[in-house]
Amino acid sequence: MAPATDVIVLGLGGMGSAAAHHLAVRGARVIGLEKFGPAHDKGSSHGGSRITRQAYFEGADYVPLLLRAYELYARLERDSGRSLATFCGGVMIGRPDSRPVAGALRSAEQWGLPHELLDAAELHRRFPAFTPGPDEAALYEPRAGLLRPEETVSAHLELAARDGAELCFGEPVIRWEADGRGVRVQTAERVLTAGQLVVCPGAWAPDLLPCLGVPITVERQVMYWFQPTSGTGPYTPDRHPVFVWEDGDGVQIYGFPAIDGPEGGVKAAFFRKGEVCTPETIDRAVHEGEIRAMADQLATRLPAVPGAFLRAATCMYSTTPDEHFVIARHPRYPESVTVACGFSGHGFKFVTVVGEILADLALTGTTAHPVELFAPGRFTPPC
Ligand SMILES: Cc1cc2nc3c(=O)[nH]c(=O)nc-3n(C[C@H](O)[C@H](O)[C@H](O)COP(=O)(O)OP(=O)(O)OC[C@H]3O[C@@H](n4cnc5c(N)ncnc54)[C@H](O)[C@@H]3O)c2cc1C
């Protein structure tokens, strides 16, 4: 059978929408297949905001990718005419030897990124919302900020469609197979063939990539919005940065400025404090005890934030054992299948550059970007 198209992209969330754009803009014939609607709230790319930063405490190896991700974000804003990013600055708070502070400092120094170290008193003076303990410090990064996930996905989809990609929503992939000549993808409606398949399944990776040899744990996460007792005035992006804060027990919370107007409150969350789930079993209800636990954490660190509780939403992390991503040719089908999964709760800030890498891999089999860290073979061999 002649291939129906050059490339099929499975999943049009954060990574898949970016891949579809980068493939289409290079002239590939693209079919994108998505189980739900455009920029939906059932995966991992919703909730209004995501932190972005370059002084990366998770590892200095990520910095070159972030430099490129920022460039591509600027281009995406220009090309789509949408407002996607707000660079309000960010603070990594904790003991000086904590991972967020020490790790961010290492990356900033190694790559010469603009930053300042603030002691507790200076942090509180600059950003009065925070009440750090005397043994805590912060790394301030002026180029950190927030991204709009739904707007970003919509921008990538819009540009992909403008360049001829055929994007199909409400059309789940049931199974796929590959051989040396190409791929065959069965959806709920039809069978499609293509030269290349790019699989960006988010939390559905365990179902759609069973043979990859990557153990992925899917975790339920909750985002909370509170109305500060003082109103949102002191929390607007010109006055209040994004933050990640690790306490002495290793509990990490993070939060954002107020970006949804006076009634929208401010958003905060625990980092990686969720039960293991699947996309089918996730509890989408948010319970009284969870809301209280978040409010109690905020009360000790940003005391005016937990005024009235406004709302909450759930989301999923897809976490690998070492919390690094998986971006590669599929080791079992290296001629025709490319995978992007296991973003471990920190992938969104990379979507633009991941789209570029996936287009490189699908169209040329290789990429100039440093992706060695993301090889699936670091876990177990594929089956
Ligand atoms: C609460 C929360 C906070 C986060 N905060 C940050 C942050 O501040 N900064 C940051 O950088 N990252 C953050 N992340 C992580 C980041 O959002 C994710 O790493 C990223 O969104 C993952 O994108 P994805 O494309 O892998 O998954 P998704 O966007 O979920 O895309 C996967 C897509 O595949 C589709 N799909 C699945 N199965 C099928 C099928 N059979 N057929 C067709 N389509 C299918 C799904 O419907 C979905 O649209 C956060 C995540 C969460 C949940």
Side-chain angles (χ1 to χ4, degrees):
M1 202 192 309
T5 196
D6 296 330
V7 189
I8 292 176
V9 179
L10 192 175
L12 296 174
M15 307 301 163
S17 60
H21 162 55
H22 282 274
L23 287 160
V25 85
R26 293 188 206 179
R29 291 177 304 155
V30 177
I31 296 180
L33 299 168
E34 167 57 48
K35 192 180 174 79
F36 300 110
H40 64 84
D41 63 359
K42 295 174 190 67
S44 306
S45 300
H46 59 280
S49 53
R50 290 288 185 269
I51 291 179
T52 189
R53 49 198 164 83
Q54 294 185 330
Y56 216 52
F57 64 77
E58 291 85 343
D61 291 352
Y62 285 87
V63 176
L65 294 173
L66 288 161
L67 297 174
R68 180 63 177 156
Y70 269 54
E71 280 175 13
L72 290 172
Y73 240 100
R75 191 204 284 177
L76 184 64
E77 279 199 314
R78 218 172 35 243
D79 291 351
S80 67
R82 289 175 183 255
S83 167
L84 305 174
T86 305
F87 297 103
C88 52
V91 280
M92 304 296 111
I93 312 173
R95 301 223 171 112
D97 61 353
S98 65
R99 198 170 170 229
V101 178
L105 182 61
R106 235 183 341 264
S107 281
E109 286 179 338
Q110 184 174 332
W111 287 92
L113 302 171
H115 68 283
E116 284 175 67
L117 273 180
L118 312 178
D119 64 18
E122 181 61 9
L123 172 63
H124 181 66
R125 197 188 64 74
R126 294 266 283 271
F127 304 111
F130 301 110
T131 54
D135 59 342
E136 291 184 304
L139 181 135
Y140 172 68
E141 183 182 4
R143 300 192 64 202
L146 64 95
L147 307 172
R148 292 287 204 169
E150 292 90 341
E151 286 288 307
T152 302
V153 172
S154 300
H156 276 139
L157 294 174
E158 228 165 68
L159 293 184
R162 197 171 75 189
D163 284 315
E166 186 189 327
L167 305 177
C168 310
F169 296 97
E171 185 169 355
V173 171
I174 310 295
R175 68 175 63 86
W176 61 265
E177 53 198 55
D179 59 26
R181 284 161 308 175
V183 297
R184 192 170 172 278
V185 175
Q186 185 184 339
T187 76
E189 289 161 33
R190 53 191 168 151
V191 174
L192 293 162
T193 55
Q196 295 289 321
L197 174 65
V198 178
V199 188
C200 304
W204 287 262
D207 288 344
L208 286 159
L209 294 167
C211 259
L212 187 61
V214 177
I216 287 178
T217 307
V218 177
E219 298 165 77
R220 169 183 178 272
Q221 302 294 326
V222 184
M223 302 169 270
Y224 303 85
W225 285 259
F226 289 92
Q227 185 64 311
T229 51
S230 52
T232 53
Y235 298 90
T236 50
D238 53 329
R239 301 172 72 180
H240 185 68
V242 295
F243 71 91
V244 175
W245 191 333
E246 184 173 296
D247 72 9
D249 299 324
V251 177
Q252 241 183 54
I253 64 168
Y254 62 92
F256 297 84
I259 53 171
D260 299 319
E263 303 308 316
V266 303
K267 180 176 127 181
F270 285 100
F271 181 68
R272 191 161 290 127
K273 178 181 186 286
E275 311 78 49
V276 173
C277 68
T278 71
E280 285 71 40
T281 63
I282 181 173
D283 179 4
R284 295 283 185 187
V286 177
H287 305 278
E288 195 53 45
E290 298 181 292
I291 299 166
R292 213 172 315 118
M294 185 78 247
D296 287 350
Q297 276 292 331
L298 289 168
T300 64
R301 310 198 211 190
L302 295 89
V305 165
F309 166 71
L310 295 177
R311 66 190 176 98
T314 57
C315 178
M316 290 176 283
Y317 286 175
S318 310
T319 303
T320 64
D322 60 6
E323 295 169 20
H324 295 307
F325 313 152
V326 173
I327 307 173
R329 291 295 244 173
H330 194 305
R332 189 158 164 202
Y333 311 105
E335 309 87 7
S336 52
V337 182
T338 304
V339 298
C341 62
F343 286 93
S344 305
H346 62 117
F348 202 86
K349 60 185 82 61
F350 297 88
V351 288
T352 51
V353 68
V354 171
E356 180 166 79
I357 293 168
L358 294 174
D360 289 344
L361 293 174
L363 297 180
T364 71
T366 181
T367 179
H369 287 294
V371 292
E372 300 73 25
L373 183 60
F374 310 133
R378 69 190 190 271
F379 302 112
T380 49
C383 62

